[in-house]
Each structure stands twice: as C-alpha cells, then as structure tokens.
Amino acid sequence: MEKSKSATATTEKKVTTRRKKSEVPSNGHTEVLAQPTLVPEERIRVRAYELYLSRGRQNGSHESDWFAAEAELRSHTA
C-alpha cells in the first residue's frame, strides 16, 4: 500500500537545531579567542632543513625538526 503525501507529511517529524547565542560578558566587551598564527610552509621547510644541518645531517628526525621549526616560527610571529 502506498501512503498519500498528506499521510506521510503528518507522520514525519521536523528536526530543528537551535544554536546558542554568544554570551557577552557583563562588562560589555566581547572576548576574542586566540587564533593560531599561520606560518608559511616554505619558512617551516627552510628552518627544518637548517635544524637538520645543525644536527650534522643525521637522518631519522625529520618530523621532530619540522615540529620544532614550526613551533619556533609560531613563537616569533605571535
């Protein structure tokens, strides 16, 4: 048996979501969340290579060099 459109419409539930409004602090100022500083990938790549060279060109630590370079550059631009 096929249901008619009106019967289907009455049995379907509408799902709605409500978003909470941003709360404004009592002092009237809006709070700004800190955004991570974006550092160009090329600068990270160059600094990671410099760290690799300073370690005597030893292989096996490319990820730690990358993360150290990224953290260093972020701290300088923040």
Side-chain angles (χ1 to χ4, degrees):
M1 253 181 159
E2 190 175 315
K3 292 184 182 180
S4 67
K5 288 183 180 182
S6 60
T8 305
T10 57
T11 58
E12 291 179 2
K13 291 184 180 179
K14 280 190 175 181
V15 178
T16 58
T17 58
R18 294 183 186 206
R19 296 181 184 185
K20 294 182 181 178
K21 292 181 180 179
S22 300
E23 293 182 18
V24 177
S26 59
N27 63 5
H29 297 274
T30 57
E31 296 177 28
V32 178
L33 299 176
Q35 296 291 327
T37 304
L38 298 177
V39 178
E41 188 174 318
E42 184 62 26
R43 290 181 63 197
I44 298 170
R45 184 179 297 115
V46 169
R47 182 60 186 138
Y49 183 70
E50 290 171 350
L51 293 172
Y52 162 75
L53 293 176
S54 70
R55 287 187 299 101
R57 298 179 181 217
Q58 294 177 358
N59 290 331
S61 298
H62 63 279
E63 288 179 343
S64 62
D65 289 341
W66 182 273
F67 293 129
E70 186 176 29
E72 181 182 316
L73 292 170
R74 283 182 192 264
S75 69
H76 288 309
T77 58

